[in-house]
Amino acid sequence: MAKTSVSPAAEGRPAERVVAAAFAGTLLTLVPLGWLLVLTALTDDSRCGHYGCVGLLADAWTAGRWAAVVLAWPLLHLFRVRPAWPVAVLAPFFLVPIWELAEVPLILIAGLFAYPVATLVSSPRLSWRGRSLVLALFALFCALQALSQS
């Protein structure tokens, strides 16, 4: 049987995958921010209401962050996070709780946390015990965020 060559990135190297995913998640934060800037520059002031263009900007933020989720797989693949698709599929499950529970400064860097967590959870070299620990720590983080808001 012929031995197939596997790249070091595909084999694992969890630390490199986590750092690359964190970098990709940070860059993906720029997508909604860039979308907000473009929309602000192109918005006609006559379309804004009594409170200015806040409603329009809120809609743009929502659309922009979901666009960032869609762009995650190509960016993760570009940064050699292999396999990229499990990370891109799992990351929204970590992004949405951060978006819903966190304050504004943390929302802006949500990708810095969500993509590395998704990378660890989907890592083929991490044991189920390790994956469970990562999920438990994320659940603890979400619980602390929820308690701090009440």
Side-chain angles (χ1 to χ4, degrees):
M1 183 168 219
K3 183 178 176 183
T4 59
S5 173
V6 179
S7 72
E11 282 180 5
R13 290 198 211 164
E16 288 180 8
R17 290 182 74 222
V18 167
V19 169
F23 188 63
T26 303
L27 286 178
L28 287 168
T29 302
L30 299 176
V31 172
L33 292 176
W35 181 244
L36 283 173
L37 289 174
V38 167
L39 191 66
T40 302
L42 298 177
T43 301
D44 181 20
D45 289 339
S46 66
R47 293 183 57 208
C48 298
H50 179 69
Y51 296 106
C53 295
V54 175
L56 206 55
L57 293 177
D59 292 341
W61 174 257
T62 302
R65 65 184 182 181
W66 288 109
V69 168
V70 171
L71 294 173
W73 180 82
L75 190 60
L76 289 165
H77 190 74
L78 178 72
F79 288 143
R80 301 189 192 288
V81 175
R82 304 284 195 273
W85 68 268
V87 177
V89 168
L90 287 174
F93 292 104
F94 300 109
L95 281 169
V96 172
I98 294 172
W99 290 339
E100 294 299 319
L101 295 173
E103 299 294 324
V104 171
L106 188 59
I107 289 172
L108 295 177
I109 58 169
L112 179 64
F113 300 108
Y115 286 95
V117 169
T119 300
L120 288 171
V121 169
S122 67
S123 176
R125 298 186 108 190
L126 195 61
S127 69
W128 283 105
R129 186 172 289 146
R131 293 176 194 192
S132 299
L133 177 64
V134 170
L135 288 172
L137 289 173
F138 185 77
L140 179 65
F141 167 77
C142 290
L144 291 173
Q145 285 294 322
L147 289 174
S148 71
Q149 287 184 356
S150 57

